[in-house]
């Protein structure tokens, strides 16, 4: 421990065995600085264009930029995509390069200040309100969006009034014309908000990794933007419905599907799908009927497809950048979740908690603050549930553990499944391959920076099963102390509140001595436990709950988690993003050159559908090729790791054999030959 100062937060991610030098070469630092400047300039220019667009000056600026770029093979669609979606894609490109160059050194540099300082991302501004706890940075973002909405409504209203006087609309038709214009403007504002809607829910997004915001925190931004976007789209449709009803041809307009211009019927379908998602996502419905919320939220596919049919290709390009990045992430998660994962151990605890130990490859990175999404196919093919990791990466290279509290229907079925497997199988067959649970995993996700290693004093407050990530934190700290790895925490206070005392074995069975026999010399660990729903102390009267009531230990089939996740490998994930984007551009160019331009196709809805199809095909074909190569690389790495482990096992077995031979030679030379044959036979069976 002497080589690592306890007064400096030495952070590690992935393989923490080596401490990297914080001083990067000058050319690397210069490139990173250049990338940051380009990303900031692109972001500021993108936001400025969004703010200016509702004004007359902004519209004229877009038209001039459009004329300067519309002469290419991509036409007006390419111009709008470059102006409104291009910046976020460019930022994603440079984010990949920045993450590759930064690596673990950037993680080590974060928050290394010895003195407290003001941070916009963590300083709370609003604590009790409709948005929950809001930091200073989030509050600034909320003010910017609210300011944009008021500014856009004002700017568009002024333009609508000028249009009324310019076209000299009769007084009888002015109200109808104004209603339709207002509906059009609200739809455009909603489309601009939609450009940000899908960015926070891309779980492995390079953009979220760049600013170090895990998607479980960014999900709240998606919720806020979703409410705002659907409010604008609902008002957009409502204003048109009122205008058409006044004119007396509401049904005719709703069923209209124009080739040139806006197609109304796809817009009606898209709005209905959005309304179903919006209503079921409200807090009362989501809290009491989560499955209804989850299943109806899959209508986002209908919502996006019919939106493209509704507005056409070049208008859809305003929001296409965020949607494309979401498609990238969704396909990557789909490929990762197709693999089944060995459940090495499934245990039912008497407090109503299930512990699962899952197989993982040695090169899959995670830390004690990570979490995964789990699917058990025997229970449901559609439901994915998030669970915090309860084990440290230092507990073992080839497994991770999660704790699941039995609270709902899905978790109750999981517990019954484990108990039935354990109860029906005789003891001698308890390790047969068919006695297992078919599980699939997405992740791990979460902060890439191990923040629990950055502070000398930790206060961990948990309730019930919330102790799960803290078990991983304590285990990680103990392993690092034992192995002499960088670890700053020296004083840890655990405050844990449970309903009943039968939950206490979750912490009581956590064997700290096995992880670090003399941890008390380097770590001051205090625990305060509160039992809130028991008036009598059964533990003090000698009542001790049995730690494990059922367990299943299947024979591993060699199926472990896939590393197909945004945080898995910077170079491969970067190649995936870049190749998919280039493939999308190539496909759009080919469709224009080979099909659209020679055939003089001008239908807006059809061109919007083709644009969306090119986005999906670029990810499937070009990105899928990279994923295939990534899969081969993963298998090669796993095979190399298995050979290395087999060699270690063989060496260990041969050492045991040599020691036994030497002992037998000293004791009975006649029995030496028989014992040697027995050891060779055993080695052949094992390897």
């Amino acid at each position: 421990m002497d080589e690592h100062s306890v007064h400096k937060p030495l952070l590690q991610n992935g393989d923490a065995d080596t401490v990297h030098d914080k001083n990067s070469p000058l050319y690397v630092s210069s490139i990173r600085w250049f990338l940051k400047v380009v990303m900031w300039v692109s972001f500021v220019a993108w936001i400025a264009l969004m703010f200016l667009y509702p004004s007359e000056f902004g519209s004229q600026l877009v038209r001039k930029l459009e004329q300067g770029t519309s002469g290419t093979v991509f036409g007006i669609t390419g111009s709008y995509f470059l102006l409104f979606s291009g910046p976020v894609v460019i930022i994603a490109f440079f984010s990949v390069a920045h993450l590759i160059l930064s690596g673990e050194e950037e993680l080590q540099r974060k928050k290394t200040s010895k003195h407290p300082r003001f941070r916009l991302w963590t300083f709370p501004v609003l604590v009790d309100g409709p948005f929950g706890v809001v930091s200073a940075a989030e509050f600034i973002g909320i003010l910017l969006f609210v300011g944009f909405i008021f500014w856009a409504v004002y700017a568009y209203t002024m333009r609508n009034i000028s249009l009324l006087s310019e076209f000299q609309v009769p007084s009888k038709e002015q109200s109808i014309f104004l209603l339709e214009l207002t509906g059009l403007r609200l739809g455009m504002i909603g489309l601009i908000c939609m450009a940000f809607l899908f960015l926070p829910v891309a779980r492995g997004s390079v953009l979220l990794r760049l600013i170090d915001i895990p998607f479980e925190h960014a999900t709240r931004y998606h919720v806020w933007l979703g409410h705002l976007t659907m409010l604008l789209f609902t008002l957009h449709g409502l204003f048109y419905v009122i205008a058409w009803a006044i004119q007396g041809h509401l049904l005719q307009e709703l069923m209209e599907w124009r080739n040139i211009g806006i197609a109304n019927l796809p817009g009606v379908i898209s709005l209905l799908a959005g309304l179903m998602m919006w209503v079921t996502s409200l807090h009362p419905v989501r809290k009491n009927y989560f499955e209804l919320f989850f299943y109806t939220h899959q209508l986002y596919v209908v919502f996006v497809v019919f939106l493209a049919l509704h507005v056409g290709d070049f208008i859809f390009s305003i929001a296409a950048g965020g949607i494309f990045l979401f498609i990238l992430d969704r396909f990557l998660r789909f490929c990762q979740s197709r693999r089944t994962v060995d459940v090495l151990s499934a245990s039912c605890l008497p407090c109503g908690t299930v512990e699962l130990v899952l197989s993982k490859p040695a090169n899959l990175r995670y830390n004690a603050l990570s979490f995964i999404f789990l699917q058990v196919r025997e229970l449901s093919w559609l439901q994915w549930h998030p669970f915090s990791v309860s084990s440290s990466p230092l507990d073992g290279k080839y497994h991770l553990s999660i704790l699941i509290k039995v609270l709902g229907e899905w978790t109750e079925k999981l517990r019954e499944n484990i108990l039935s497997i354990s109860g029906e199988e005789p003891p001698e067959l308890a390790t047969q391959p068919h006695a297992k649970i078919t599980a699939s995993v997405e992740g791990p996700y979460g902060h890439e920076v191990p923040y629990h290693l950055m502070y000398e004093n930790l206060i961990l407050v948990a309730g019930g099963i919330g102790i799960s990530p803290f078990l991983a934190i304590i285990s990680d700290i103990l392993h690092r102390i034992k192995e002499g790895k960088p670890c700053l925490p020296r004083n840890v206070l655990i405050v844990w509140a449970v309903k009943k005392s039968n939950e206490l074995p979750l912490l009581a069975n956590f064997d700290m001595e096995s992880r670090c026999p003399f941890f008390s010399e380097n770590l001051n660990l205090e625990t305060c436990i509160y039992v809130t729903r028991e008036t009598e102390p059964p533990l003090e009267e000698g009542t001790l709950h049995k730690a494990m009531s059922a367990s299943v230990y299947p024979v591993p089939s060699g199926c472990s988690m896939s590393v197909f996740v945004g945080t898995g490998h910077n170079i491969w994930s970067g190649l995936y993003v870049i190749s998919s984007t280039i493939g999308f551009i190539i496909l759009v160019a080919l469709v224009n050159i080979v099909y659209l331009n020679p055939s003089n196709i001008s239908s807006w809805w059809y061109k919007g559908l083709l644009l969306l199809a090119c986005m999906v095909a670029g990810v499937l074909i070009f990105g899928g090729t990279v994923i295939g190569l990534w899969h081969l690389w993963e298998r090669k790495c796993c095979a190399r790791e298995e050979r290395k482990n087999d060699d270690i096992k063989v060496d260990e077995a041969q050492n045991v054999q040599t020691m036994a031979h030497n002992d037998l030679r000293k004791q009975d030379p006649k029995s030496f030959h028989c014992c040697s044959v027995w050891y060779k036979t055993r080695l052949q069976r094992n390897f």
Side-chain angles (χ1 to χ4, degrees):
M1 294 295 296
D2 295 338
E3 59 180 325
H4 305 300
S5 173
V6 299
H7 300 291
K8 295 181 180 180
L10 301 177
L11 300 183
Q12 299 296 316
N13 190 22
D15 185 9
D17 294 333
T18 305
V19 179
H20 294 271
D21 185 14
K22 293 183 180 180
N23 298 320
S24 302
L26 179 60
Y27 72 93
V28 175
S29 301
S30 302
I31 295 175
R32 279 205 303 261
W33 179 84
F34 172 76
L35 293 175
K36 288 181 179 179
V37 171
V38 172
M39 287 187 288
W40 270 110
V41 170
S42 301
F43 178 74
V44 172
W46 184 42
I47 298 300
L49 181 65
M50 295 290 191
F51 264 88
L52 291 174
Y53 186 64
S55 64
E56 185 66 32
F57 171 77
S59 297
Q60 293 178 358
L61 178 63
V62 169
R63 282 194 291 268
K64 290 180 180 179
L65 295 175
E66 172 197 327
Q67 293 173 359
T69 57
S70 60
T72 63
V73 68
F74 300 100
I76 187 175
T77 303
S79 300
Y80 268 77
F81 189 92
L82 180 63
L83 293 175
F84 290 95
S85 295
V88 70
V89 177
I90 292 173
I91 294 173
F93 265 56
F94 286 108
S95 298
V96 170
H98 187 272
L99 290 172
I100 293 174
L101 288 175
S102 299
E104 297 176 358
E105 295 180 2
E106 185 70 13
L107 301 179
Q108 295 177 28
R109 282 193 295 272
K110 292 183 178 181
K111 289 189 176 181
T112 57
S113 176
K114 299 179 182 179
H115 307 287
R117 56 195 178 116
F118 180 81
R119 291 181 60 85
L120 292 176
W121 285 110
T122 57
F123 185 78
V125 175
L126 300 178
V127 178
D128 188 13
F131 298 104
V133 179
V134 178
S135 67
E138 293 169 343
F139 186 71
I140 293 173
I142 292 173
L143 291 179
L144 288 176
F145 264 98
V146 172
F148 167 73
I149 297 300
F150 280 104
W151 150 251
V153 171
Y154 168 77
Y156 277 134
T157 301
M158 294 296 101
R159 293 179 62 182
N160 292 343
I161 293 174
S162 64
L163 285 175
L164 285 175
S165 59
E166 179 180 349
F167 290 103
Q168 298 181 354
V169 180
S171 58
K172 295 182 179 179
E173 299 180 1
Q174 282 186 0
S175 59
I176 298 175
F177 187 65
L178 188 61
L179 282 172
E180 292 184 346
L181 275 179
T182 304
L184 175 64
R185 306 306 191 186
L186 289 172
M188 183 58 66
I189 298 173
L191 201 61
I192 293 175
C193 292
M194 191 176 168
F196 301 88
L197 181 62
F198 287 88
L199 296 178
V201 287
R203 297 177 182 175
S205 171
V206 292
L207 299 180
L208 296 181
R209 294 180 62 200
L210 178 69
I211 57 179
D212 192 29
I213 297 181
F215 97 94
E216 70 272 16
H217 293 175
T219 302
R220 62 191 307 192
Y221 311 144
H222 172 76
V223 174
W224 300 344
L225 288 168
H227 289 311
L228 178 61
T229 303
M230 285 311 305
L231 176 62
L232 293 169
F233 281 158
T234 302
L235 292 175
H236 159 74
L238 184 62
F239 274 78
Y240 270 105
V241 167
I242 294 174
W244 294 335
I246 294 174
Q247 291 175 325
H249 45 78
L250 174 61
L251 185 61
Q252 180 182 354
E253 288 289 347
L254 291 177
M255 301 301 294
E256 187 74 32
W257 193 316
R258 301 183 183 91
N259 286 329
I260 305 298
I262 302 297
N264 294 337
L265 182 58
V268 173
I269 298 173
S270 178
L271 182 58
L272 290 176
L275 288 174
M276 291 182 65
M277 290 189 293
W278 190 25
V279 171
T280 56
S281 66
L282 298 176
H283 181 70
V285 180
R286 180 174 180 174
K287 180 180 179 180
N288 298 317
Y289 306 97
F290 180 81
E291 290 190 4
L292 178 63
F293 153 77
F294 178 79
Y295 292 134
T296 54
H297 232 64
Q298 309 310 310
L299 291 174
Y300 74 87
V301 178
V302 178
F303 176 74
V304 171
V305 170
F306 281 90
L307 177 65
L309 297 175
H310 172 57
V311 299
D313 53 343
F314 71 94
I315 299 179
F316 182 74
S317 298
I318 295 176
I323 296 173
F324 179 70
L325 294 180
F326 174 77
I327 295 174
L328 280 169
D329 177 76
R330 190 65 192 89
F331 180 64
L332 192 63
R333 291 191 285 119
F334 174 81
C335 294
Q336 185 195 28
S337 63
R338 293 310 92 196
R339 176 183 293 187
T340 58
V341 178
D342 284 336
V343 180
L344 303 180
S345 172
S347 307
C348 294
L349 308 180
C351 59
T353 302
V354 172
E355 181 184 31
L356 297 182
V357 181
L358 305 172
S359 175
K360 80 170 192 70
N363 61 335
L364 180 66
R365 300 187 307 170
Y366 77 101
N367 61 50
L369 300 175
S370 299
F371 70 97
I372 63 171
F373 280 84
L374 178 68
Q375 177 203 58
V376 179
R377 299 185 179 181
E378 286 80 5
L379 306 182
S380 174
W381 281 80
L382 296 177
Q383 294 187 35
W384 291 84
H385 296 267
F387 299 103
S388 297
V389 173
S390 60
S391 62
S392 164
L394 301 177
D395 285 335
K397 291 184 178 180
Y398 304 100
H399 74 274
L400 61 81
S401 304
I402 58 174
L403 292 173
I404 303 172
K405 181 70 173 180
V406 179
L407 292 175
E409 182 180 351
W410 187 88
T411 53
E412 181 62 35
K413 288 181 179 179
L414 176 62
R415 181 175 179 272
E416 292 176 356
N417 195 355
I418 296 173
L419 290 174
S420 63
I421 293 175
S422 179
E424 293 177 359
E425 294 290 336
E428 62 271 16
L429 297 179
T431 59
Q432 291 301 314
H434 64 272
K436 68 175 184 178
I437 301 171
T438 307
S440 298
V441 172
E442 280 188 16
Y445 299 111
H447 276 295
E448 293 186 70
V449 179
Y451 285 101
H452 60 285
L453 301 178
M454 300 175 58
Y455 305 98
E456 187 172 347
N457 302 303
L458 295 179
I459 300 178
L460 310 178
V461 183
I465 196 60
I467 195 68
S468 177
F470 295 160
L471 296 179
I473 289 175
I474 297 300
S475 179
D476 198 43
I477 294 174
L478 293 177
H479 278 296
R480 288 177 176 274
I481 292 176
K482 179 182 178 181
E483 300 175 15
K485 295 183 177 181
C487 182
L488 186 61
R490 288 297 176 266
N491 301 290
V492 179
L493 172 62
I494 301 176
V495 181
W496 187 30
V498 296
K499 294 180 180 179
K500 296 183 179 181
S501 58
N502 63 352
E503 298 183 49
L504 297 181
L506 288 178
L507 186 58
N509 293 333
F510 184 75
D511 191 359
M512 301 183 187
E513 293 293 339
S514 64
R515 290 170 171 81
C516 186
F518 305 103
F519 71 91
S520 58
E521 298 178 359
N522 299 286
L523 180 67
N524 179 26
L525 180 61
E526 298 182 26
T527 305
C528 297
I529 303 177
Y530 301 90
V531 181
T532 60
R533 295 192 181 181
E534 283 185 354
T535 57
E536 298 181 357
L539 290 180
E540 294 183 5
E541 295 177 358
T543 304
L544 183 63
H545 296 283
K546 189 179 179 181
M548 185 176 295
S549 59
S551 183
V552 178
Y553 298 99
V555 174
S557 60
C559 296
S560 57
M561 299 179 193
S562 171
V563 297
F564 293 159
V565 64
T567 59
H569 196 279
N570 287 335
I571 295 179
W572 279 112
S573 59
L575 289 175
Y576 169 69
V577 173
I578 294 173
S579 63
S580 299
T581 307
I582 295 176
F584 163 57
I585 296 173
I586 293 175
L587 289 177
V588 171
L590 289 177
V591 167
N592 279 279
I593 294 173
V594 177
Y595 181 53
L596 292 179
N597 294 337
S599 303
N600 293 323
I601 295 176
S602 58
S603 297
W604 285 25
W605 67 268
Y606 187 55
K607 295 172 72 174
L609 180 63
L610 288 178
L611 176 65
L612 188 59
C614 289
M615 293 168 60
V616 176
V619 175
L620 294 180
I621 298 173
F622 292 84
T625 302
V626 174
I627 289 180
L629 297 175
W630 191 354
H631 175 67
L632 295 177
W633 174 83
E634 179 189 5
R635 291 180 59 183
K636 184 177 180 180
C637 291
C638 291
R640 188 187 304 116
E641 190 69 25
E642 289 177 1
R643 287 195 300 269
K644 185 187 300 182
N645 293 333
D646 289 345
D647 292 339
I648 295 174
K649 293 178 181 178
V650 170
D651 292 339
E652 292 177 352
Q654 289 177 348
N655 291 335
V656 172
Q657 180 184 8
T658 303
M659 293 174 62
H661 286 186
N662 295 333
D663 292 339
L664 285 173
R665 281 176 177 156
K666 295 177 182 179
Q667 296 175 7
D668 187 3
K670 294 182 179 179
S671 62
F672 169 74
H673 177 72
C674 296
C675 186
S676 177
V677 173
W678 180 83
Y679 267 104
K680 289 181 180 179
T681 305
R682 186 179 180 185
L683 285 173
Q684 291 173 357
R685 290 177 180 175
N686 291 337
F687 306 103

